[in-house]
Amino acid sequence: MSVETTIGAERYRLTKRGDWWYAAVRVGPTWRALDERARTRSELVDLLAGQAAKA
Amino acid sequence: MKAYHGTRVDGVARVFVTIDGGPFVELEHHVLHSPTGLEFGYGGSGPADLARSLLWDFLGAEPTREAYMAFKAAVIARMARAGWVMTGSQVQTWLDGWLSGREGTRFATVREQDSFWQLDPQFGHLHGEVGG
């Protein structure tokens, strides 16, 4: 199960596999996996938003 | 379920992907370290490209260098040189173990910082000022 969302200026794909949600970010024509995961979709969005704010 | 099959054809390493017992499709080689092909059973450029290409296929996204290099060292380099089979759930298990280890390191760092702040006398002094 995957959903796409925009956080800041970046486009993310959030994927649920098993008990965890994983993220990939759009870079040009491809997706780049991030070494992050969270138990819920909202926690993952929160985590990514925090990283985007720091960048 | 997805499964990866590594084999040798005339001595050349080949890796195939199958889903739920369906047809075997050759794993796409995302060339970066080894233009001459994929390899397994030792640590090198061919195994690095296999680690990267296999994780890329599994994730549907380009893996980070840190992730695929760790995958190469822990899994690809240790595979039997004659051939092997790896299921998608085995890839996921390795990935979760690796991410868990990274998260443990990150949390340990936070705990060390917490201890530092608790022990910092200046923090106590400032806290006393604000509280008083």
Side-chain angles (χ1 to χ4, degrees), chain A residues 19-40:
Chain A
D19 295 334
W20 294 89
W21 282 87
Y22 303 82
V25 63
R26 191 83 180 169
V27 181
T30 63
W31 291 101
R32 186 166 295 165
L34 300 175
D35 295 334
E36 302 289 355
R37 63 177 184 170
R39 288 284 185 190
T40 67

Side-chain angles (χ1 to χ4, degrees), chain B residues 68-80:
Chain B
Y68 77 75
M69 282 302 190
F71 187 62
K72 180 192 83 167
V75 180
I76 302 297
R78 298 178 183 184
M79 283 169 160

